[in-house]
């Protein structure tokens, strides 16, 4: 067996150990160590006999290494992790009194190249494997010594370009780590056909769609890939997603001063989303290097929010956490690549 242990179901582990002539309880022991015990090498399965541990000591468990950890004053911790093959990725743990949220990456870098996103500027290396996604959640859980309650796929990468691994990781987080599907959010800027494919999994997870503009022309300026996926088609696919899954959807809208934050943009957005059972998440732009955008001030953000709520569109402003620790997605990795 060369696929890492992390990401395998209890049934898969049982089946594999059975083929090795081992009883089912050995698989249960391994399973517990893997998903609850912070296992990093098979040598750590201390309730296995020494001979068995030695036989399997080189089996890959699938945990990444922590390269750097930076904590901001609000308790948010950003991790730079290294995979087996030396790729680096970011994950963020965001604590509050009643939650511990992990912002996971789904790819190393990102090919979508959104103009205001740090990850988009660092290029793209590859998709993350299931164990590399699940590892991020375990790393945060272990570091905070507290159970992770929420997971958002809002780190580096475009989850729908890595749909198979992302979907499997949702199952593992839910079944093997015990995170409720409703506590999981998958964020996408939109990839043709993939929203319909995601709907087929019938997850209870929330889909968040990155809109960032109320019309096609402006959206194309901010998101190069929007040219291949017209706003009307994207919204049609979103409506179908809601119809198939019976789940509400949310839209993300990064507010860029003087670019997409005018009251007229808010009104246009109201027209666009009329009749849509959706929540709009406003994200004040988090400044990054090499981008000519500015963060709108508080009043401006509140004005935009008021335009939406006045038109009965459910909306809220996402609080920026850990701003001083380069919390915008991809910033930590970029800095580490530069040195
Ligand atoms: N690829 C996914 C996940 C990206 S990160 C997607 O596009 O949805 C989650 C959200 O943060 C996206 O809406 C993304 O556009 C936004 N974002 C990226 N960089 C940002 C920045 N510097 N400031 C504010 N929001 C940003």
């Amino acid at each position: 067996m060369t696929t890492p242990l992390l990401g395998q179901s209890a049934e898969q582990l049982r089946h594999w150990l059975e083929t090795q002539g081992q009883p089912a309880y050995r698989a249960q022991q391994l399973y517990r160590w893997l998903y609850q015990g912070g296992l990093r090498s098979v040598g750590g399965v201390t309730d296995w006999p020494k001979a068995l541990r030695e036989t399997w000591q080189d089996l890959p468990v699938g945990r990444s290494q922590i390269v750097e950890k930076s904590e901001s004053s609000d308790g948010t911790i950003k991790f730079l992790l290294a995979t087996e093959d030396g790729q680096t990725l970011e994950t963020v743990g965001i604590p509050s009194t009643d939650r511990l949220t992990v912002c996971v990456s789904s790819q190393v870098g990102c090919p979508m190249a959104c103009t205001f996103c740090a990850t988009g500027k660092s290029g793209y290396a590859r998709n993350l494997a299931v164990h590399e996604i699940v590892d991020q959640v375990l790393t945060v859980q272990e570091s905070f010594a507290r159970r992770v309650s929420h997971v958002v796929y809002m780190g580096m990468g475009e989850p729908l370009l890595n749909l198979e691994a992302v979907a499997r990781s949702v199952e593992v987080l839910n079944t093997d780590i015990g995170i409720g599907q409703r506590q999981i959010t998958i964020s996408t800027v939109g990839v043709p056909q993939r929203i319909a494919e995601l709907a087929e999994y019938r997850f209870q997870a929330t889909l968040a769609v990155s809109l960032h503009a109320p019309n096609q022309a402006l959206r194309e300026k901010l998101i190069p890939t929007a040219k291949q996926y017209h706003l009307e088609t994207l919204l049609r696919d979103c409506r179908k997603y809601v119809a198939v899954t019976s789940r509400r959807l949310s839209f993300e809208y990064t507010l860029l001063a003087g670019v997409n934050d005018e009251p007229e943009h808010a009104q246009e957005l109201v027209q666009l989303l009329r009749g849509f059972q959706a929540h709009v998440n406003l994200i004040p732009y988090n400044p990054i290097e090499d981008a000519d955008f500015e963060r709108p001030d508080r009043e401006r953000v509140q004005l935009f929010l008021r335009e939406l709520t006045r038109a009965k569109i459910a909306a809220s402003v996402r609080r920026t956490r850990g701003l001083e620790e380069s919390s915008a997605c991809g910033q930590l990795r970029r800095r580490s690549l530069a040195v």
Side-chain angles (χ1 to χ4, degrees):
M1 188 166 72
T2 49
T3 19
L5 294 171
L6 195 62
Q8 306 224 20
S9 65
E11 175 57 28
Q12 283 169 321
L13 293 176
R14 195 190 56 73
H15 177 75
W16 165 65
L17 277 166
E18 197 178 71
T19 62
Q20 306 302 316
Q22 294 297 326
Y25 70 88
R26 293 268 179 253
Q28 276 162 17
Q29 290 165 332
L30 176 61
Y31 181 78
R32 259 198 310 275
W33 277 107
L34 196 56
Y35 291 107
Q36 292 163 37
L39 190 76
R40 285 187 172 264
S41 97
V42 174
V45 187
T46 49
D47 38 13
W48 273 10
K50 196 154 173 268
L52 193 60
R53 274 183 273 156
E54 278 173 6
T55 309
W56 295 109
Q57 65 186 358
D58 293 330
L59 207 65
V61 170
R63 297 298 308 266
S64 301
Q65 298 295 323
I66 301 176
V67 178
E68 196 183 320
K69 214 169 142 175
S70 57
E71 183 167 356
S72 61
S73 53
D74 65 3
T76 297
I77 302 183
K78 189 160 198 166
F79 301 84
L80 186 68
L81 304 176
T83 60
E84 278 275 82
D85 61 348
Q87 294 286 356
T88 51
L89 62 114
E90 294 180 5
T91 197
V92 189
I94 309 159
S96 68
T97 35
D98 57 345
R99 294 180 174 203
L100 176 56
T101 304
V102 188
C103 179
V104 293
S105 294
S106 55
Q107 298 184 308
V108 180
C110 184
M112 304 305 272
C114 299
T115 49
F116 50 85
C117 175
T119 305
K121 299 197 179 288
S122 68
Y124 167 70
R126 65 168 171 85
N127 276 333
L128 288 177
V130 178
H131 65 276
E132 292 167 334
I133 300 174
V134 173
D135 166 80
Q136 300 173 52
V137 175
L138 290 179
T139 295
V140 170
Q141 188 153 284
E142 288 156 11
S143 240
F144 281 84
R146 193 179 146 187
R147 287 193 72 85
V148 165
S149 60
H150 293 70
V151 174
V152 294
Y153 286 74
M154 294 186 186
M156 301 167 58
E158 170 45 53
L160 296 195
L161 286 178
N162 187 16
L163 183 53
E164 212 178 306
V166 162
R168 176 68 195 135
S169 70
V170 168
E171 287 167 4
V172 175
L173 296 182
N174 182 227
T175 310
D176 307 307
I177 302 188
I179 298 166
Q181 283 196 14
R182 284 170 183 259
Q183 268 63 259
I184 297 176
T185 300
I186 299 170
S187 178
T188 180
V189 71
V191 179
Q193 273 85 51
R194 297 288 166 85
I195 292 178
E197 282 174 37
L198 176 66
E200 290 307 312
Y201 286 92
R202 298 290 195 279
F203 288 140
Q204 290 295 301
T206 301
L207 178 66
V209 175
S210 296
L211 221 46
H212 308 320
N215 60 63
Q216 176 66 17
L218 182 54
R219 195 163 188 268
E220 276 184 17
K221 282 195 195 142
L222 303 174
I223 306 166
T225 58
K227 289 186 194 70
Q228 287 90 49
Y229 198 8
H230 201 279
L231 188 53
E232 270 174 32
T233 320
L234 171 64
L235 286 178
R236 185 203 62 199
D237 293 349
C238 289
R239 284 198 175 84
K240 282 192 194 154
Y241 182 88
V242 172
V244 172
T245 61
S246 309
R247 294 285 297 151
R248 266 180 50 169
L249 195 132
S250 59
F251 289 108
E252 289 158 288
Y253 194 104
T254 294
L255 288 165
L256 307 160
V259 176
N260 65 357
D261 70 335
E262 308 285 344
E264 293 75 45
H265 291 126
Q267 283 145 17
E268 212 179 339
L269 189 59
V270 166
Q271 295 309 320
L272 193 70
L273 301 183
R274 196 147 285 245
F276 215 116
Q277 278 285 324
H279 183 98
V280 177
N281 239 311
L282 300 173
I283 319 171
Y285 169 63
N286 202 350
I288 61 163
E289 283 164 42
D290 310 339
D292 284 334
F293 295 112
E294 276 168 41
R295 185 186 177 94
D297 58 34
R298 236 187 82 84
E299 287 80 77
R300 197 78 179 164
V301 172
Q302 289 306 316
L303 185 65
F304 199 97
L305 176 68
R306 266 204 308 278
E307 291 290 338
L308 298 184
T309 46
R310 222 177 44 187
K312 306 263 183 303
I313 295 206
S316 52
V317 178
R318 187 178 299 159
R319 201 152 63 95
T320 304
R321 299 281 308 257
L323 186 63
E324 73 273 32
E325 285 301 336
S326 10
S327 77
C329 103
Q331 279 180 275
L332 190 64
R333 174 167 179 268
R334 269 193 100 199
R335 215 178 50 213
S336 87
L337 290 177
V339 290

